[in-house]
Amino acid sequence: MAMQRELAWRVFAGEYNDSRHEYSTGEERAPSFVITPTGAKVNRLFLVGVLTSTENVGKEGDVWRARISDPTGVFTVYAGQYQPQAAQALAEIKAPAIVAVVGKSRTYTPDGGAVYASVRPEFVRVVTKEERDHWVLTTAKSLAERLEALREAAAMEKPSVDELVALGYTREISEGVIMGLERYGKLELDRYEAMLQDSLSGLVPELAGRPPSAKPRPIASAATVAESAPSPVAPPVAGSAPTAASKGAAKTPAVDPAHEDVVLGIVADLEEGRNGAPWEGLIEKSSVKGLSEEQVEEAINSLLDKGLLYEPILGRLKKA
């Protein structure tokens, strides 16, 4: 039987890192899937974020570990001799840089017994800010659709794949949602609703609330996301060059470099160990320096785009 290559899912780091279950039919050479809490059924993953660090951790030969930050968390990926393209790319690309990764999902269980999800990259390349923004948008739409399906399933007496398909969801989405319900039980959606809003705050400012994730906020539906989002750029295809549309995308006005310097200096002063500088403290200290909140946000967005800042956790910033 010919092996079918699985499609690459778009899932935020915050959700992927919450995943604790894997699924396989058990048949010979059958693919395995990481089942995320909201029901993404992930065999292969397509992720985009800021490469913040790389390290050769191999004791015998090269094994590269990299950390890649998206708006919701950090992916940790490993590439060695069996992923030659990815390993070479991670050895050559200097952090910080915006990168796209296509890789296989996997789980591992250390001695403590807990289950963790990781990514084994097959392909890594540097991409543009426009490609990163498009990934955030399409990943948010995918999450919004699964959350809607979860709510529909929760309202059913006996949730089933066929009933979700009858409501218009794809069989792939429906199967994943039912698997998620069976493995994680009734899910507290507040965390993922807040994750959805926070992921879009850099693209659609009117959806943003500060401080991020402080309180659950009303969820944006898939339709709302589509209507509120900026005009999409051409979709990024792993391995392809930037399209004419992405190359010609409108540029945002330049940010005053002096404002960026002020923000970088304050972040350096406020960084608390591994957690980073809190958003509220950054706003407060910037106002003392004469910057408005709008100017601070513009400077932060510019620095995030340049890869000079990243969010190790929501609501906190660190220098890359």
Side-chain angles (χ1 to χ4, degrees):
M1 181 176 68
M3 294 291 289
Q4 181 179 358
R5 188 170 176 82
E6 297 290 337
L7 297 175
W9 279 75
R10 292 162 169 80
V11 177
F12 288 121
E15 180 182 1
Y16 189 72
N17 292 337
D18 287 346
S19 302
R20 296 292 180 265
H21 295 282
E22 195 169 21
Y23 165 80
S24 174
T25 62
E27 298 175 357
E28 185 178 1
R29 303 183 67 185
S32 61
F33 302 87
V34 169
I35 307 299
T36 72
T38 66
K41 188 180 166 188
V42 184
N43 173 263
R44 298 174 69 243
L45 194 66
F46 172 48
L47 64 96
V48 179
V50 177
L51 176 70
T52 58
S53 67
T54 57
E55 182 182 4
N56 189 345
V57 295
K59 296 180 180 177
E60 298 179 2
D62 289 343
V63 177
W64 287 89
R65 178 174 62 196
R67 292 167 60 83
I68 300 168
S69 175
D70 78 4
T72 69
V74 178
F75 290 100
T76 301
V77 306
Y78 291 85
Q81 61 176 323
Y82 299 112
Q83 301 85 39
Q85 190 282 337
Q88 182 177 353
L90 292 177
E92 294 177 353
I93 298 172
K94 301 301 181 187
I98 302 175
V99 298
V101 175
V102 175
K104 297 279 287 187
S105 63
R106 61 186 294 268
T107 61
Y108 64 98
T109 306
D111 294 339
V115 177
Y116 297 94
S118 66
V119 181
R120 187 174 61 198
E122 301 169 331
F123 183 89
V124 181
R125 73 179 176 101
V126 175
V127 297
T128 64
K129 171 186 175 297
E130 287 77 14
E131 288 173 295
R132 190 274 308 277
D133 290 350
H134 184 79
W135 178 85
V136 171
L137 175 61
T138 54
T139 304
K141 289 173 67 176
S142 179
L143 174 57
E145 185 175 17
R146 293 197 301 279
L147 289 172
E148 288 181 350
L150 276 170
R151 279 193 288 265
E152 297 274 14
M156 297 174 183
E157 184 175 350
K158 293 184 178 179
S160 71
V161 173
D162 289 340
E163 282 196 73
L164 287 175
V165 171
L167 291 174
Y169 297 100
T170 66
R171 183 158 292 277
E172 192 173 35
I173 291 283
S174 302
E175 288 179 351
V177 165
I178 296 301
M179 284 184 175
L181 282 173
E182 291 172 348
R183 285 158 177 78
Y184 294 93
K186 186 178 180 181
L187 197 65
E188 295 295 331
L189 297 184
D190 289 352
R191 167 171 167 75
Y192 300 100
E193 292 168 349
M195 188 181 296
L196 174 61
Q197 299 284 6
D198 289 329
S199 70
L200 293 170
S201 63
L203 303 180
V204 190
E206 58 268 29
L207 291 181
R210 295 295 179 181
S213 297
K215 295 179 180 179
R217 282 157 281 174
I219 185 174
S221 67
T224 303
V225 170
E227 291 167 1
S228 303
S231 300
V233 298
V237 178
S240 67
T243 64
S246 65
K247 288 178 179 176
K251 296 182 179 178
T252 54
V255 175
D256 189 334
H259 295 174
E260 295 180 342
D261 290 341
V262 170
V263 169
L264 282 174
I266 294 173
V267 169
D269 291 340
L270 292 178
E271 281 188 345
E272 299 171 357
R274 299 175 61 182
N275 289 333
W279 175 273
E280 300 89 337
L282 180 57
I283 295 292
E284 181 180 345
K285 286 190 172 294
S286 296
S287 68
V288 176
K289 300 280 187 180
L291 299 187
S292 67
E293 185 168 339
E294 182 180 3
Q295 289 172 323
V296 176
E297 290 198 23
E298 289 175 349
I300 289 173
N301 287 334
S302 175
L303 292 166
L304 288 169
D305 292 344
K306 294 175 180 177
L308 298 178
L309 287 181
Y310 68 100
E311 292 183 277
I313 58 176
L314 294 173
R316 288 180 175 269
L317 295 161
K318 282 181 71 73
K319 292 179 68 175

